[in-house]
Amino acid sequence: MSKFTATFRLIRAGWIMTREGVISALPAEGLSGLPAFGHRIAGLLARRRARTARRSERMSRAINKLGPSYVKLGQFLATRPDVVGTEVADDLALLQDQLDFFPMEASVKAIEGSLGRPVGDLYVNLGEPIAAASIAQVHPAYVRTGGEDRKVAVKVVRPGVRQRFNNDLESFFLVAKWQERYVPATRRLRPIEVTRTLAQTTRIEMDLRLEAAALSEIGENTKDDPGFRVPTVDWERTGRDVLTLEWIDGIKMSDIDGLRAAGHNLVGLAETLIQSFLRHTLRDGFFHADMHPGNMFVDDRGHIVAVDFGITGRLGKKERRFLAEILYGFITRDYVRVAEVHFEAGYVPHHHDVASFAQAIRAIGEPIHGQPAETISMAKLLTLLFEVTELFDMETRPELVMLQKTMVVVEGVSRTLDPHFNMWKASEPVVGDWIRRNLGPQGILGDAREGVGALLHLARQAPELVARADRLSKEMDRMAEQGFRFDDETAKAIGKAEARHTRSGRIALGVIAVCLVAITYKLLF
């Protein structure tokens, strides 16, 4: 029944998106046959007002009607241009995550349930909400510490959002499975894996203790960084459904006139922003993945303060080395090395030719060397690189795509602050230092130390590995003599799964048939 219910939820979502003109606004190039016919029908069924609206407005109306789960889906897909395309991702990035406030009584109940103490014991005063998003809303409050009242921000999870998201998640997985089964060209994008990533990141975002942990970790990583900081967490007043943190008085980085009027150095802020992001990425391997201007403030000391750490990204050492080497390869015009790095990392299948891939990389790199440095976009370069890799069957790397999308946003904010912003000059101190430390002699020594440590760890495990190999050998000998057999429980489970799969397929076909009849009736009568 869960698949049946998920199918009906999808039908409802499809109808809302059709009526709001979202389907008809999607790119139709290359469509033929039934998909092209469906695209035309969607245009006829769209509301009259939707036909003249911009695509971003249509998406915003439809997604906000569908509720918090779809708002979060839209925000997530905005970070995945590899899945939805660059134009659609840009439109989704404009989504206004502004939902209605939920009642004060619900916030009080959530706080007391999460922390196990009355609100009056926790806060001197808890104010009415001032901002509401898909997952939570924010209240101003005061706490008393050391005999003084201190202003804080209190973030409270929206009631019922977890159950609503879990229900809608069934529909998202159903679409992903259909896509992998019936659209072979998209299997490279791994839609089921993308949906799992959405589920994981959103569940993390709905546990505010984990957001507090991200804030704490980045706070430790950046405590000595010039011009950048994050709010401090009040752990005593933080739980699964509530996060209390330092109140930030500052000017949003989207308010350029306000920053200029306050006397802040916009050129310096642009440089600090990009260098901070690259430090988090290369040095720490942990970065804020939602660094739009509304999530960043400038305080009275001229420091950038980032908030809302619900979405973060991590890069392992291999991914960081990959990023640094390709950037360095483009700077030095060593396109063969850029291609080799892709193969060494296992991102491009080895049946492709390195020289041919280097030729494609040259087509991206050569044009940038004839331009002034301030017009060269590192983010655009990475975007073109990921587009070219599609020709060589490079599978989607979610962590790299999230990095690329975040870099697009950060670089865009920097250029808004300083129209003549030189990305390469600003980045060189951070990228160059990382390359010298990790790709030079110092890095080789570090790798050698790690290799010796790994060998020692393997040596300590040698007796256990030998015992496992012996057991495996005996088991394989037994299977060779007696054959491979299912036990009764396994055979029954396979039979039930096959029957359930067949039944759900018949139900889905029936629902689709009913929908087609309804649409035909609507058109004719």
Side-chain angles (χ1 to χ4, degrees):
M1 288 299 293
S2 62
K3 285 188 178 180
F4 187 74
T5 306
T7 302
F8 269 104
R9 289 198 193 99
L10 281 177
I11 292 171
R12 173 182 173 272
W15 178 248
I16 289 174
M17 287 192 285
T18 299
R19 291 290 286 162
E20 294 300 334
V22 174
I23 304 299
S24 58
L26 295 176
E29 294 84 359
L31 293 182
S32 61
L34 189 59
F37 175 73
H39 193 273
R40 288 195 295 271
I41 294 297
L44 295 173
L45 294 175
R47 298 181 192 276
R48 186 174 300 174
R49 68 174 185 179
R51 296 172 189 172
T52 57
R54 293 196 302 270
R55 185 168 59 193
S56 60
E57 293 174 357
R58 302 184 196 188
M59 288 180 175
S60 183
R61 276 200 301 266
I63 288 175
N64 279 294
K65 276 188 177 182
L66 288 167
S69 303
Y70 282 85
V71 172
K72 188 49 58 183
L73 173 65
Q75 292 173 334
F76 175 76
L77 291 177
T79 69
R80 299 299 304 270
D82 58 315
V83 176
V84 296
T86 303
E87 291 182 8
V88 174
D90 290 342
D91 287 334
L92 289 171
L94 299 175
L95 276 176
Q96 294 299 308
D97 192 2
Q98 293 291 333
L99 277 74
D100 293 334
F101 295 123
F102 53 84
M104 187 74 172
E105 295 76 16
S107 288
V108 170
K109 184 178 179 181
I111 293 170
E112 293 182 343
S114 185
L115 300 180
R117 293 167 59 188
V119 165
D121 290 350
L122 294 163
Y123 306 101
V124 175
N125 176 56
L126 180 68
E128 294 291 331
I130 57 171
S134 56
I135 299 295
Q137 70 182 21
V138 178
H139 300 255
Y142 285 88
V143 298
R144 182 158 295 165
T145 53
E148 294 183 358
D149 290 349
R150 176 171 54 89
K151 193 174 184 181
V152 294
V154 183
K155 187 173 182 179
V156 185
V157 169
R158 184 175 290 276
V161 70
R162 291 187 182 88
Q163 185 59 47
R164 177 71 181 270
F165 180 76
N166 286 335
N167 291 340
D168 288 332
L169 192 61
E170 294 180 11
S171 302
F172 299 162
F173 271 112
L174 192 59
V175 170
K177 289 175 182 176
W178 286 348
Q179 187 177 351
E180 284 207 355
R181 181 179 298 175
Y182 299 115
V183 191
T186 64
R187 288 173 188 163
R188 184 186 69 88
L189 301 175
R190 301 188 293 183
I192 293 177
E193 186 63 31
V194 169
T195 309
R196 286 199 189 101
T197 303
L198 167 65
Q200 178 69 6
T201 56
T202 306
R203 283 170 180 151
I204 288 174
E205 192 172 354
M206 288 188 291
D207 188 336
L208 297 184
R209 295 169 298 188
L210 300 179
E211 181 176 345
L215 269 164
S216 178
E217 182 177 346
I218 290 184
E220 288 183 6
N221 291 342
T222 62
K223 62 184 178 182
D224 297 322
D225 288 358
F228 182 92
R229 71 182 186 91
V230 298
T232 56
V233 176
D234 185 339
W235 285 101
E236 180 186 353
R237 298 171 178 85
T238 293
R240 188 185 73 152
D241 296 334
V242 57
L243 167 62
T244 304
L245 64 160
E246 172 191 359
W247 181 271
I248 300 299
D249 281 318
I251 303 170
K252 282 190 176 183
M253 293 194 76
S254 55
D255 184 3
I256 303 298
D257 292 335
L259 292 171
R260 189 178 289 112
H264 293 299
N265 180 357
L266 301 189
V267 174
L269 286 173
E271 186 173 289
T272 298
L273 178 62
I274 197 67
Q275 289 182 355
S276 297
F277 172 71
L278 289 171
R279 284 192 192 97
H280 308 163
T281 303
L282 293 174
R283 181 192 65 193
D284 308 326
F286 186 42
F287 60 93
H288 190 332
D290 195 17
M291 293 183 74
H292 63 75
N295 278 344
M296 290 181 290
F297 295 81
V298 179
D299 64 17
D300 55 4
R301 295 185 298 168
H303 291 177
I304 297 171
V305 187
V307 300
D308 195 357
F309 281 76
I311 304 176
T312 55
R314 287 193 184 273
L315 294 179
K317 188 171 183 179
K318 183 178 81 169
E319 289 77 23
R320 284 181 271 166
R321 177 169 292 180
F322 168 79
L323 174 65
E325 286 220 56
I326 62 172
L327 291 177
Y328 189 71
F330 275 112
I331 293 171
T332 60
R333 301 173 74 175
D334 189 349
Y335 305 118
V336 173
R337 180 57 190 155
V338 175
E340 288 173 348
V341 169
H342 280 78
F343 281 82
E344 290 171 6
Y347 293 160
V348 175
H350 284 277
H351 65 263
H352 286 291
D353 179 50
V354 175
S356 297
F357 189 54
Q359 178 184 351
I361 298 299
R362 181 180 291 274
I364 299 170
E366 281 302 294
I368 72 174
H369 286 281
Q371 299 180 30
E374 63 269 17
T375 67
I376 299 172
S377 167
M378 185 187 294
K380 185 177 179 181
L381 185 150
L382 290 177
T383 301
L384 292 172
L385 177 63
F386 291 142
E387 287 178 359
V388 165
T389 55
E390 181 180 353
L391 300 174
F392 290 84
D393 304 316
M394 176 174 166
E395 287 195 350
T396 296
R397 305 294 307 183
E399 69 280 4
L400 295 177
V401 175
M402 183 175 284
L403 167 71
Q404 174 259 325
K405 183 63 178 178
T406 308
M407 190 174 286
V408 168
V409 174
V410 172
E411 187 177 3
V413 176
S414 294
R415 291 191 187 279
T416 302
L417 293 167
D418 177 14
H420 303 291
F421 180 67
N422 186 326
M423 181 74 175
W424 299 99
K425 184 178 179 181
S427 303
E428 199 283 328
V430 178
V431 177
D433 181 65
W434 193 92
I435 288 173
R436 284 188 291 272
R437 288 176 177 271
N438 292 272
L439 303 184
Q442 188 176 345
I444 294 172
L445 288 174
D447 290 343
R449 283 195 299 270
E450 288 184 8
V452 170
L455 287 173
L456 290 174
H457 180 69
L458 184 63
R460 284 195 295 268
Q461 290 185 314
E464 183 182 350
L465 293 174
V466 170
R468 287 183 183 177
D470 182 57
R471 288 195 299 270
L472 178 61
S473 176
K474 291 177 179 178
E475 186 65 22
M476 292 180 67
D477 288 342
R478 185 189 65 80
M479 289 172 58
E481 293 175 1
Q482 301 178 9
F484 184 77
R485 298 181 180 180
F486 287 129
D487 58 28
D488 291 340
E489 291 294 326
T490 303
K492 288 178 182 178
I494 292 174
K496 287 181 180 178
E498 185 63 27
R500 188 164 56 248
H501 174 74
T502 304
R503 184 167 59 251
S504 63
R506 288 199 301 268
I507 292 171
L509 289 173
V511 170
I512 292 169
V514 170
C515 292
L516 288 174
V517 170
I519 291 172
T520 304
Y521 180 84
K522 179 84 174 176
L523 290 173
L524 294 177
F525 302 101

